[in-house]
Amino acid sequence: MIFLTLGLCFVVARLSFGVLGIHHLHSQDVLVSEANYLAESDPTTFSKNLSSCPGYSLHSLQESKIGLIAQLSLSGPPCNAFGTDFENLTIQVTYETDSRLRVRIADSGNKQFTIPESIIARPPPPTTSFTQSSDLVFNYESSPFSFWITRRSNPDAIPLFDTRLSSLPETPLAPVITDDTSTALDGFPLVFEDQYLQLTSALPLNTNIYGLGEVIASSGFRRNVASNGGSIQTLWARDIADPVDQNMYGNHPIYLEHRFNETTNEAQSHGVFLFSSSGADILLLTPPGASQSLIQYRMLGGVLDFYFFSGPSPHAVIEQYGALVGLPSWIPSWAFGFHLCRWGYVSLNETMQQVQAMRAAKIPLEVMWNDIDLYHAFRDFTSDPVSFPGDEMRAFIQELASNNQHYIPILDAAIPHPTNVTDVYDPYIRGHEMGTFIKNPDGSEYIGEVWPGYTVFPDWFASSTQGWWTESLKNWSDGGVEYSGIWLDMNEISSFCQGSCGTGADLSNTSVPFLLPGDTGAPVIDYPECYDALVFGPSGNLTINGTLTCTSNSTLSTLTKRGLGAGAEKGVNLNTPPYAIHNGAGDLSINTLATNATHAGGFVELDVHNMWGMMEEKATHLALQELQPGKRPVIIARSTFPSSGKWSGHWLGDNFSKWEYLYYNIQGILQFQIFQIPFVGADTCGFNGNTDEELCNRWMQLSAFVPFYRNHNERGALSQEPYRWNSVANASRTAIATRYTLLPYWTTLFANASLRGTPPVRALWYEFPTEPELFAVDKQFLVGGDILVTPVLTPNVSTVEGHFPGRGQVTWRDFYTHAAVNASNGTATLSAPLGHINVHIRGGSALLLHAMPGYTTTETRTGPFSLLVSLESTEHAFGTAYIDDGITNPPSESRDITFSATTNQLHISSDGNFNVEQTLQQITILGVNERPVKVSVSRENIENWQFMSGLQKLVISDVSIDLNSAQTVSW
Ligand code: MIG
């Protein structure tokens, strides 16, 4: 018996029961035979001490019209701290645009790994000069070499980035995070070794940093820079059920920083992106008593390739990042519908029953999903011949299609290895012939272990892999699983052996080395914080025999988390590479591929590990473009990397049915807007553990205002479909109807994301950057600039407090009642009974809506439009709508409509070649001071209007305004 320490999706369930981790492991799995790590990594030869690192000096500088190139030479004897120092480096500074500056420092011999252009295409070098016009300015000192970035428009301000020793605290410094010795700081010279790179920049004390992920930060969306030392963001893709303050599925070395000057009342944002796939620690620290904070990059390899974005608005920073790595893919309108999924819909019958039950409950269902239950023997690209027969799947999916509904199946990263020679599994056989799988250093196929037993893994660097993947996806669809989109799971990559399972593994053994949740011996017994199953039984109901099951409203923090110092824990094998990043799993090869697994072109897993998920997303996107010509591919994936948004959306992984995670949702959604993967959402009602009625009710409502809206549940847990409890059914119907009403707003926001990189979901401060009281707000969010969502995030309450930004200059009106909020001091306590989510619209907005939400988005789109105009006291309002067919992958026909209101008039202008068939049927104008004398549309008098003086509301009904031409509405 072996205690399994793998970080699987239910590892925390294991922690909370203490017994589930003990299961049989096949004896031959224990060896890690091929994982002989990089030979030169003999830890004894490295000093592991940075205090003697000499730094570099700059010489041979050559300026050009786009920037400069210079050489850096090691200034003294090498320190060989965690690797071997490079003597000679080349620095290249490129003013790529007026708002983007690149600083790239690489070994002059080009030995270190750099991300190939074919993997992530970047804009070509500039053809005109921005050296004199860029708002970003590169400054440097030759010896010791250091650089700092300032704004041309504000040269005397604290630099945006500053590596000068004189700007940083004096070293040596005792551990800044007291229980983590690795945060002792020996010195801040530039270190550039084969296995260790380090660069440090000063930051203003306790500055506002957002991004660096993927993470669930205990500090919230705004990262902890100062309190109790700071934070460590580790970059190493990892399959782990949503831990707090640890590395997890995706890796995004980009941050958005916001600076606000209270004296001048000026606010500016900028961004810093490290273009690297290296395993790394990024530390945000404030040494005790220091007058500045700092950011330190510690990388296991690669080169230092920084991009700086000048903003100065947060939107501009995010857009500038998108222009570099690629803008998000276009999302078809059906993907904004409601999705239903769970692990444990064990047959087609059960799956069909869900579709029927949703319809019977009159709760809109747009997309039905299946998890790995679908597979035959857990094998990719199959459906079980007994429980999900191919021809019946085809009939089912075609029936869905005839009802304007869609189907998405899971696709796991691992490809099953046949158990013996008579075991015919085509995707393996074809891939093996074509050489598409990842190899051991000796050229044999690398063997891992996942659900189907022993497996291999696609190597996206091999030239044959794309064709093989497309062909496998085609065969799957041809066999009956006529998916509309694809769900990519386990792509960190997850594998259950530590590193390679070893040559000579018993390939015929297909049993998973532990129990699945819900199996006999592994019941799911966890509930939300407020629910006591020992007292009230397993139902999860809000009341039992008239008694409330939750009697306190505190959100209890019951989850155990490993501290920031996980990497320093004793007994964890961190032998290689010499610098031990704070990988929550310990050794880099735990629960994933060995770091020496080999890819075509000679790339090693250590360098490219963090990109596997993104490369799979890209390959899947390209496959779907080929298989579904002209359509917008829909992909939802778990492990992401810069540029993933160009190919895929993301779900926030294996969260828990806990109130705490309802709150964590919001920071996750906001983070992924920065990462340019805006189509994101959490497992609604919670994945791990049982949910309960109250939590599921609030969550179904919150997620209705989140881009990707899916209810997904673990195997063996209490059912949590939205019809499961009456109160949840009601709450869901209301929230989904509101969501479908807002569909034109969502699709316009996402068009702006795909066209310009503008983030659809926003932190409050993005829109109000000079209001510091908002800088840490992450319990509310804005959809676009105009919709403020104030969800309930705790049990047993009927009110919620929210910020209403604008310092009294902005009128916020209730979306449903249209009443203005009275928010003196900028906050208000709102009524929030169960089943009600507070949504407010911003004064000065004009929202194009669907007037009649239907069962599906397609039916909703065939109905007429309405318009909701909320005048600001100065009597203006503005809004835009982007309309197209919602399915064709652009370039395609589209129409831009703008609504702009001035005193007593609304102008509609319309531009484009898409013909909008549905007309505008009703216009509601809020903030009209006096009862109008008459109302007209493009000079024709209108009879059917009403004025409600209390709400200052004018409603113009039964019109039929053509949105393909300019119009004027007067009152
Ligand atoms: O290790 O396919 O995150 O959504 O239900 C568990 C079963 C594997 C992890 C995914 C989760 C999915 C589950 N998968």
Side-chain angles (χ1 to χ4, degrees):
M1 302 286 259
I2 284 172
F3 189 78
L4 204 88
T5 55
L6 301 187
L8 304 179
C9 50
F10 43 86
V11 74
V12 175
R14 168 177 68 75
L15 290 177
S16 34
F17 310 142
V19 291
L20 293 181
I22 303 167
H23 305 293
H24 274 292
L25 198 67
H26 323 310
S27 57
Q28 52 278 68
D29 299 351
V30 185
L31 31 124
V32 189
S33 66
E34 280 91 2
N36 9 332
Y37 302 97
L38 303 169
E40 65 271 30
S41 304
D42 177 7
T44 56
T45 63
F46 300 124
S47 70
K48 299 199 173 176
N49 183 338
L50 296 150
S51 56
S52 62
C53 293
Y56 288 81
S57 50
L58 181 144
H59 58 94
S60 313
L61 184 137
Q62 285 180 301
E63 291 197 37
S64 76
K65 73 169 191 185
I66 62 167
L68 61 86
I69 295 186
Q71 305 306 315
L72 303 176
S73 297
L74 205 60
S75 297
C79 62
N80 296 336
F82 296 97
T84 305
D85 293 74
F86 283 97
E87 292 278 345
N88 298 307
L89 309 177
T90 302
I91 177 167
Q92 235 176 317
V93 176
T94 314
Y95 289 85
E96 296 200 333
T97 71
D98 275 340
S99 55
R100 184 172 79 230
L101 173 66
R102 180 181 189 186
V103 177
R104 183 177 190 274
I105 303 173
D107 55 304
S108 301
N110 292 322
K111 291 264 170 4
Q112 292 286 93
F113 175 77
T114 57
I115 299 174
E117 183 69 26
S118 60
I119 307 302
I120 302 178
R122 274 146 293 151
T127 51
T128 52
S129 179
F130 298 100
T131 53
Q132 299 309 310
S133 56
S134 164
D135 193 34
L136 297 167
V137 178
F138 173 83
N139 314 268
Y140 69 94
E141 256 165 26
S142 296
S143 190
F145 167 71
S146 63
F147 71 94
W148 62 104
I149 308 291
T150 51
R151 282 190 194 272
R152 190 179 306 274
S153 56
N154 204 353
D156 300 325
I158 299 176
L160 303 184
F161 201 82
D162 188 353
T163 69
R164 280 174 293 186
L165 300 183
S166 57
S167 303
L168 287 155
E170 272 192 39
T171 51
L173 285 159
V176 181
I177 297 171
T178 30
D179 58 357
D180 183 348
T181 52
S182 81
T183 63
L185 303 172
D186 311 337
F188 300 125
L190 170 63
V191 180
F192 202 119
E193 302 176 340
D194 53 357
Q195 297 182 81
Y196 187 73
L197 294 86
Q198 181 180 296
L199 181 125
T200 315
S201 164
L203 297 171
L205 186 64
N206 197 17
T207 188
N208 303 297
I209 300 257
Y210 308 85
L212 298 178
E214 181 176 6
V215 72
I216 297 172
S218 55
S219 62
F221 177 52
R222 181 180 179 277
R223 301 302 299 268
N224 175 11
V225 174
S227 73
N228 187 28
S231 336
I232 299 177
Q233 178 66 47
T234 296
L235 303 178
W236 191 253
R238 175 175 174 228
D239 170 9
I240 178 71
D242 292 9
V244 176
D245 291 332
Q246 290 184 17
N247 60 311
M248 48 196 291
Y249 312 112
N251 294 284
H252 296 277
I254 161 120
Y255 69 83
L256 164 64
E257 184 179 347
H258 187 59
R259 297 187 185 177
F260 173 62
N261 183 330
E262 293 196 20
T263 319
T264 61
N265 204 43
E266 273 175 7
Q268 288 184 316
S269 297
H270 66 274
V272 179
F273 171 47
L274 172 64
F275 186 68
S276 168
S277 57
S278 173
D281 281 340
I282 302 175
L283 295 80
L284 294 166
L285 300 176
T286 305
S291 54
Q292 64 279 82
S293 300
L294 59 88
I295 182 164
Q296 182 169 76
Y297 294 85
R298 302 176 175 181
M299 299 154 64
L300 298 184
V303 301
L304 295 166
D305 195 356
F306 285 97
Y307 289 89
F308 299 90
F309 308 106
S310 69
S313 71
H315 294 170
V317 172
I318 296 171
E319 289 165 359
Q320 289 154 9
Y321 175 58
L324 177 71
V325 295
L327 299 172
S329 65
W330 286 82
I331 307 294
S333 48
W334 61 263
F336 291 97
F338 174 70
H339 303 246
L340 182 62
C341 186
R342 93 164 287 175
W343 186 11
Y345 291 148
V346 296
S347 64
L348 174 57
N349 246 336
E350 192 175 342
T351 309
M352 286 166 73
Q353 278 166 21
Q354 294 302 334
V355 176
Q356 286 157 10
M358 290 293 288
R359 173 101 40 192
K362 299 192 166 56
I363 303 172
L365 172 66
E366 187 91 2
V367 190
M368 191 65 207
W369 294 48
N370 275 123
D371 205 316
I372 52 176
D373 315 275
L374 169 69
Y375 293 154
H376 177 50
F378 290 121
R379 292 179 165 196
D380 269 3
F381 305 115
T382 67
S383 72
D384 188 87
V386 176
S387 45
F388 293 90
D391 48 345
E392 290 176 32
M393 285 301 288
R394 180 181 292 109
F396 163 64
I397 296 170
Q398 289 183 356
E399 166 90 20
L400 284 178
S402 68
N403 292 323
N404 302 312
Q405 291 168 306
H406 295 263
Y407 180 78
I408 295 183
I410 195 168
L411 188 54
D412 273 347
I415 301 299
H417 192 291
T419 51
N420 58 44
V421 280
T422 62
D423 178 9
V424 177
Y425 175 63
D426 252 16
Y428 174 81
I429 295 170
R430 291 282 294 144
H432 176 75
E433 282 167 10
M434 295 162 82
T436 66
F437 301 127
I438 294 176
K439 306 284 193 305
N440 289 305
D442 68 1
S444 60
E445 265 166 15
Y446 181 99
I447 305 289
E449 186 193 34
V450 194
W451 306 118
Y454 292 101
T455 66
V456 292
F457 304 93
D459 177 6
W460 307 112
F461 288 91
S463 56
S464 58
T465 310
Q466 177 71 61
W468 164 80
W469 190 246
T470 305
E471 179 186 296
S472 305
L473 275 161
K474 177 173 191 299
N475 291 341
W476 198 21
S477 184
D478 289 350
V481 184
E482 295 184 355
Y483 49 79
S484 293
I486 293 290
W487 172 23
L488 297 175
D489 192 15
M490 309 291 273
N491 58 350
E492 290 73 33
I493 314 167
S494 179
S495 171
F496 301 162
C497 300
Q498 174 171 349
S500 160
C501 298
T503 308
D506 175 7
L507 298 175
S508 66
N509 189 337
T510 58
S511 62
V512 179
F514 38 77
L515 299 177
L516 301 184
D519 280 348
T520 314
V524 178
I525 58 170
D526 215 13
Y527 279 85
E529 293 91 332
C530 203
Y531 189 88
D532 188 344
L534 295 178
V535 175
F536 293 106
S539 72
N541 290 359
L542 185 64
T543 56
I544 287 179
N545 299 329
T547 306
L548 262 187
T549 53
C550 171
T551 51
S552 85
N553 62 9
S554 60
T555 302
L556 312 167
S557 191
T558 57
L559 300 166
T560 45
K561 59 167 182 164
R562 283 172 73 156
L564 288 169
E569 279 182 15
K570 288 202 178 74
V572 180
N573 175 5
L574 295 165
N575 289 339
T576 186
Y579 175 76
I581 58 170
H582 290 61
N583 180 23
D587 189 289
L588 298 179
S589 301
I590 287 181
N591 200 191
T592 187
L593 268 53
T595 44
N596 71 343
T598 304
H599 298 255
F603 298 117
V604 291
E605 181 69 8
L606 180 64
D607 286 324
V608 301
H609 172 75
N610 285 342
M611 295 195 294
W612 199 94
M614 179 274 290
M615 293 177 78
E616 184 198 32
E617 290 142 22
K618 181 176 181 179
T620 309
H621 186 104
L622 296 177
L624 292 187
Q625 274 191 341
E626 197 176 320
L627 300 174
Q628 305 173 345
K631 290 192 179 162
R632 302 175 192 179
V634 173
I635 299 167
I636 295 294
R638 202 168 69 175
S639 180
T640 58
F641 189 73
S643 78
S644 275
K646 198 171 165 184
W647 317 115
S648 177
H650 173 63
W651 96 104
L652 295 167
D654 294 351
N655 64 7
F656 294 79
S657 299
K658 299 281 179 194
W659 292 91
E660 215 179 350
Y661 278 83
L662 180 63
Y663 157 64
Y664 287 145
N665 261 217
I666 300 174
Q667 59 164 281
I669 291 148
L670 293 173
Q671 253 181 48
F672 275 86
Q673 310 296 304
I674 299 177
F675 302 156
Q676 284 293 2
I677 310 172
F679 195 66
V680 59
D683 283 352
T684 298
C685 298
F687 177 75
N688 283 305
N690 301 294
T691 194
D692 72 7
E693 181 176 358
E694 190 181 7
L695 179 61
C696 194
N697 186 312
R698 296 295 191 190
W699 213 325
M700 281 298 296
Q701 292 222 310
L702 186 154
S703 292
F705 295 89
V706 164
F708 173 52
Y709 186 16
R710 183 183 74 156
N711 180 321
H712 177 44
N713 193 5
E714 155 181 49
R715 190 176 186 269
L718 210 61
S719 301
Q720 62 181 38
E721 293 82 12
Y723 58 78
R724 166 80 177 67
W725 288 280
N726 275 335
S727 79
V728 181
N730 283 328
S732 304
R733 283 186 286 258
T734 311
I736 297 173
T738 305
R739 179 182 177 92
Y740 288 9
T741 298
L742 283 165
L743 199 60
Y745 184 65
W746 276 112
T747 50
T748 300
L749 288 171
F750 270 79
N752 290 336
S754 297
L755 291 166
R756 284 182 281 281
T758 316
V761 182
R762 302 171 193 171
L764 274 56
W765 71 264
Y766 291 8
E767 295 283 331
F768 301 92
T770 59
E771 298 178 22
E773 63 273 23
L774 303 176
F775 294 171
V777 171
D778 62 4
K779 292 188 169 154
Q780 292 171 279
F781 57 94
L782 286 158
V783 179
D786 296 331
I787 303 264
L788 174 59
V789 184
T790 309
V792 168
L793 302 172
T794 52
N796 207 20
V797 296
S798 54
T799 59
V800 63
E801 170 150 307
H803 291 266
F804 287 87
R807 300 266 174 92
Q809 302 302 301
V810 175
T811 309
W812 293 97
R813 294 183 171 96
D814 187 295
F815 180 79
Y816 317 95
T817 68
H818 299 158
V821 177
N822 180 2
S824 46
N825 303 329
T827 63
T829 300
L830 309 164
S831 167
L834 195 63
H836 179 70
I837 182 163
N838 277 283
V839 177
H840 290 83
I841 45 176
R842 183 171 174 174
S845 65
L847 306 175
L848 185 67
L849 307 172
H850 286 308
M852 291 161 55
Y855 191 75
T856 62
T857 60
T858 305
E859 286 158 76
T860 303
R861 284 169 61 95
T862 55
F865 289 104
S866 63
L867 183 71
L868 180 57
V869 178
S870 183
L871 296 171
E872 197 40 89
S873 44
T874 50
E875 301 211 336
H876 74 85
F878 182 78
T880 65
Y882 176 97
I883 304 183
D884 61 15
D885 71 2
I887 187 91
T888 308
N889 212 8
S892 57
E893 293 182 344
S894 66
R895 182 163 291 281
D896 283 298
I897 305 174
T898 62
F899 305 95
S900 106
T902 53
T903 311
N904 300 341
Q905 242 179 25
L906 168 75
H907 294 283
I908 304 177
S909 67
S910 182
D911 193 22
N913 53 7
F914 179 77
N915 181 46
V916 182
E917 275 175 43
Q918 296 72 23
T919 60
L920 179 56
Q921 199 183 46
Q922 190 184 62
I923 302 173
T924 301
I925 302 166
L926 308 174
V928 176
N929 291 331
E930 284 171 35
R931 180 179 195 86
V933 179
K934 66 168 197 169
V935 172
S936 65
V937 174
S938 297
R939 300 221 185 92
E940 250 179 70
N941 265 0
I942 299 291
E943 298 307 324
N944 196 349
W945 56 271
Q946 276 181 296
F947 182 71
M948 283 142 265
S949 54
L951 287 169
Q952 301 192 316
K953 166 164 150 178
L954 170 65
V955 183
I956 304 167
S957 304
D958 292 332
V959 284
S960 183
I961 299 174
D962 176 18
L963 288 173
N964 298 298
S965 57
Q967 308 280 352
T968 304
V969 181
S970 314
W971 59 90

